[in-house]
Amino acid sequence: MFTANDFIPTPYSKSLKKGSFQWSSPSNIALVKYWGKKNDQIPANPSVSFTLNNCKTMTTLAFAKKVNRDDFSFDLLFEGKSKEDFNPKIQQFFERIFIYLPFLKDYHFTIDTRNTFPHSSGIASSASGMAALSMNLMSLEKAINPEMDEDYFYQKASFLARLGSGSACRSVKGKVVVWGKHENISGSSDLFGVAFPNKIHENFNNFQDTILLVDKGEKQVSSSLGHNLMINHPFAERRFTQAHENLDQLISVFESGNLDEFIKIVESEALTLHAMMMTSMRYFILMKPNTLEIIDAIWKYRKETKIPVCFTLDAGANVHVLYPENVKENVLQFIKNELVGYCQNGQYICDEIGNGSQLIIDN
């Protein structure tokens, strides 16, 4: 069984003066939600997500050896321009992972990052961003430790990404990714995400996710604060048990391809996530009136047409519309006809299941 100490390296066999890498990492959408955490970004309950394909972060990491090893040294660029307000988060991330990547103080880093989805679109970029940065850092570690095998590379990348943003560990590798120990999922771990190891029915091949941008403003409560509010939440323990139960049910749903059961679990999970927010102290509501209008319209459309389309939500107002590829034409027409009016500036993003992070440049 893995422990965090397994990711502390032995002395490296090589040294590099300078170079660069570029990785892309996608966002992901949780089906069973992670809400609540322990120390060191350990989840209070397991979660499972679809890895997205089009909504991703592209990050280039350039590095150059420096003389002074007293502290971390980096410049952060967003779309080619200095973005100093991101610096504290990167500084904190480097401090957390230094024990696992002791070369961090040997180099000056230039981190240049951009998203394929619109800035301030209401899609959280912390998962894709921290995953992409972790992939780049692991490429550097592999370059100075060439004996590293592929499994360890991806496990450690997910482990590091988790320390930057919990859900980032689900954006490293795999179409369907589990994070958090679950007794019936082989290899599952609180320390990193793993590709779902069991059978997945063809109904879920190339599953679609159209993201309706209801509100692109900044959230009134950060996800970090929301997680912390679960510590003394009156319904927390029952919620954590429910997540295990729902993940257990999804194991058989993924195998059988039962879309009706899939819809029940996924929509219930989305509403439970927001119920936890509304019943914490302090309590808050991230859904907007148009979020509820969209949910109601989806329920009505599904009842009338029998088309297996459903919704899920992140910790925000936007709605992820999930459906099989074989009903794509019908659902997109429904979205254009009935749902686009509830989106801010009529904006929505079409996405689908992807495979995880991809190496673009290795210099």
Side-chain angles (χ1 to χ4, degrees), residues 181-221:
K181 185 65 182 169
H182 188 279
E183 62 181 1
N184 293 325
I185 298 179
S186 174
S188 59
S189 172
D190 289 340
L191 298 179
F192 46 80
V194 298
F196 183 74
N198 299 20
K199 182 182 176 184
I200 299 178
H201 193 277
E202 62 182 10
N203 281 353
F204 299 103
N205 288 350
N206 210 29
F207 221 71
Q208 303 292 298
D209 178 7
T210 300
I211 306 156
L212 307 181
L213 304 181
V214 172
D215 181 28
K216 303 193 294 179
E218 189 172 333
K219 289 187 296 190
Q220 67 198 57
V221 175

Side-chain angles (χ1 to χ4, degrees), residues 221-240:
V221 175
S222 72
S223 292
S224 294
L225 177 58
H227 285 293
N228 290 338
L229 291 174
M230 288 295 284
I231 293 170
N232 297 309
H233 198 294
F235 309 132
E237 290 308 314
R238 180 65 193 102
R239 162 58 199 155
F240 301 148

Side-chain angles (χ1 to χ4, degrees), residues 307-340:
I307 289 174
V309 56
C310 67
F311 72 88
T312 190
L313 308 166
D314 262 340
N318 297 332
V319 182
H320 290 250
V321 185
L322 302 176
Y323 50 96
E325 187 180 29
N326 64 1
V327 296
K328 180 177 179 178
E329 191 174 322
N330 289 332
V331 174
L332 285 178
Q333 195 60 53
F334 160 61
I335 289 169
K336 290 172 186 174
N337 290 347
E338 298 189 39
L339 302 186
V340 72

